[in-house]
């Protein structure tokens, strides 16, 4: 990564460096957001399973 940055700076291509840094930051944020979304979906599924289990227990008691 440092070599790539030095190469871009020595060529005076700072606009591309800025674009590269922005793109990597945006990609990292997207990956983090997707991981959080998957985790939230799993927690919601676990919640629904617990509710379903409780509903089945209450139905058996009646």
């Amino acid at each position: 990564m440092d070599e790539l940055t030095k190469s871009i700076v020595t060529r005076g291509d700072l606009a591309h460096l800025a674009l590269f840094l922005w793109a990597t930051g945006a990609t990292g944020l997207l990956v983090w957001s997707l991981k959080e979304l998957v985790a939230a979906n799993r927690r919601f599924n676990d919640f629904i399973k617990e509710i379903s289990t409780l509903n089945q227990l209450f139905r058996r008691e009646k």
Side-chain angles (χ1 to χ4, degrees):
M1 182 78 165
D2 287 336
E3 255 183 64
L4 178 65
T5 305
K6 287 177 186 176
S7 170
I8 291 173
V9 169
T10 57
R11 287 189 289 154
D13 206 5
L14 294 178
H16 283 105
L17 177 61
L19 181 61
F20 172 73
L21 292 174
W22 177 84
T24 55
T27 302
L29 183 61
L30 176 64
V31 168
W32 176 79
S33 297
L34 289 175
K35 284 182 181 180
E36 289 297 316
L37 184 61
V38 167
N41 191 27
R42 284 186 188 139
R43 288 189 301 269
F44 184 72
N45 283 340
D46 291 343
F47 174 73
I48 295 298
K49 287 178 186 176
E50 289 293 325
I51 295 294
S52 175
T53 303
L54 287 174
N55 282 338
Q56 288 175 1
L57 289 174
F58 287 132
R59 286 183 194 155
R60 289 180 190 163
E61 290 179 4
K62 289 183 179 183

